[in-house]
Amino acid sequence: MASPAYARSLINLTKRLKLSPNAPVQTRHAPILSIAPQRRHESTLPVAQTATQLDRTPGAAQAPPPPSAPIDPSTIEQELAGIRLPRAVQATYLDPLRHKTTHNIKTCELQIRSYSIRNLEVFADFAMRAAYYLKLPAKGPKPLPRITERWTVPRSNFVHKKSQENFERVTLRRGIEIFDGHSETVAAWLGFLKKRQYYGVGMKANVWEYGGLEVGQDMDAEAERIAERLGEQLDLVGGRRSLMTKEERVKGMVEGEPFKGQWGAYAAMGGAQSVPNADRRVATKTLKSVVKIETGLDDA
């Protein structure tokens, strides 16, 4: 007959301890029985913490945590209301901040277009916040008149032509004005908006720049400064600049017959007014024949 499970566990325990038959078992458990009540009375820690301190072996079963008290929703709301959010996070829940104008001089006018009101409002708010952080006085976004487009097309052809269908497209717009802004700052603002442009949103900007009365002198000084910085590389811009100093040579090259023939002046409907019979169909002359004719005219 097989022994029960609890009996088998005791027998295996006895085999592991290698107890001799003459040694009483009670004497071995007596110190444990005498110490256990003493530890119980001396311990003043909670049950879960005491179990954790007594048994630190890896994989040991831990006592279940004590049951938590029910949470009151009103207490949670009070605790959340007491938490102070950062200023940057608080600003997202408020209207965009604005700077006051000083001279009230308009430097940029931005028009935002979209077919979706949601995308339009989101990007307009983003543009206003970007203008504030760049210290640009901005006004807006103000709603602009809608652009409504309609099309009427037949549903089918032939006998079904009288059955037609209407299509409509409404473009929503918002306007933002920038005042007293430096041209470089406005360019940085527009470039940032172009880089972070929201999907389904288009932009159109009009920029004004103001200067002094000595505009010509400023442009000449700027050209000299650029020439000094570029140096020899400036000669590579627009071809050979050495030819531009010799006006007579350049004029002779442009008005010469080989040049006109190369660029189609002798072709049908050439359009060159200085060439006789340019608007009529004439025989195309080769470069050699043109040279001979010019030489004959010079000799005459």
Side-chain angles (χ1 to χ4, degrees), residues 7 10 42 54 69-70 74 101 105 134 161 172 174 188 212 253 270:
L10 291 176
E42 290 178 359
L54 293 178
S74 60
T101 59
I105 298 177
L134 288 174
K161 183 182 180 303
L172 307 174
R174 294 291 185 272
M253 292 175 59

Side-chain angles (χ1 to χ4, degrees), residues 258 285-295:
K285 300 179 182 179
T286 59
L287 184 61
K288 293 182 180 180
S289 61
V290 171
V291 173
K292 290 181 180 179
I293 292 175
E294 288 184 350
T295 305

Side-chain angles (χ1 to χ4, degrees), residues 262-282:
Q262 181 68 23
W263 291 98
Y266 295 106
M269 306 299 291
Q273 299 180 0
S274 60
V275 180
N277 302 324
D279 296 338
R280 300 179 183 178
R281 293 183 177 273
V282 295

Side-chain angles (χ1 to χ4, degrees), residues 76-98:
I76 298 177
E77 294 179 359
Q78 293 178 1
E79 293 180 358
L80 292 177
I83 298 176
R84 180 186 174 278
L85 298 175
R87 295 296 184 186
V89 178
Q90 292 181 7
T92 57
Y93 295 94
L94 304 175
D95 291 338
L97 300 176
R98 307 167 191 269

Side-chain angles (χ1 to χ4, degrees), residues 11 31 83 148 158 161 163 185 191 233 235 237 246 262 285 296:
I11 294 172
I83 298 176
T148 304
F158 199 49
K161 183 182 180 303
S163 177
T185 310
Q233 296 181 358
D235 296 337
V237 180
K246 303 177 182 179
Q262 181 68 23
K285 300 179 182 179

Side-chain angles (χ1 to χ4, degrees), residues 195-206:
K195 182 178 180 180
R196 306 296 180 183
Q197 188 173 2
Y198 203 67
Y199 69 92
V201 176
M203 294 184 296
K204 175 185 176 182
N206 297 325

